[in-house]
Amino acid sequence: MPNHETGIVVATRGRMFDVLTSDHCRLRCELRQKVKYTTSGSSPVTVGDDVLVTRIDDSTGAIDKVL
């Protein structure tokens, strides 16, 4: 089972999001497929959102859930 950690979205870059984790690491993240886009095509994630992420490596991750 992956280790999840919390973070806050600090920037958006198209379909990618910069997330600052609780240990002050900045991760470039993409959305998991289970985090769905709204019917209007807009992203369910915006700057300031608290999110649950899975770290892939030292600089990338995936957003699993908007908290």
Side-chain angles (χ1 to χ4, degrees), residues 11-18 28-31 37 41-43 45:
T12 63
R13 300 171 191 277
R15 293 181 163 268
M16 302 299 287
F17 303 89
D18 289 353
R28 177 67 48 94
C29 297
E30 59 184 346
L31 293 177
Y37 282 81
S42 62
S43 173
V45 180

Side-chain angles (χ1 to χ4, degrees), residues 10-61:
V10 294
T12 63
R13 300 171 191 277
R15 293 181 163 268
M16 302 299 287
F17 303 89
D18 289 353
V19 175
L20 187 63
T21 63
S22 57
D23 64 351
H24 305 286
C25 182
R26 192 174 183 132
L27 301 176
R28 177 67 48 94
C29 297
E30 59 184 346
L31 293 177
R32 295 271 190 207
Q33 283 186 335
K34 64 184 174 183
V35 181
K36 300 205 187 291
Y37 282 81
T38 63
T39 55
S40 65
S42 62
S43 173
V45 180
T46 190
V47 172
D49 282 350
D50 291 316
V51 293
L52 191 63
V53 298
T54 300
R55 194 178 296 235
I56 296 171
D57 59 33
D58 289 340
S59 63
T60 62

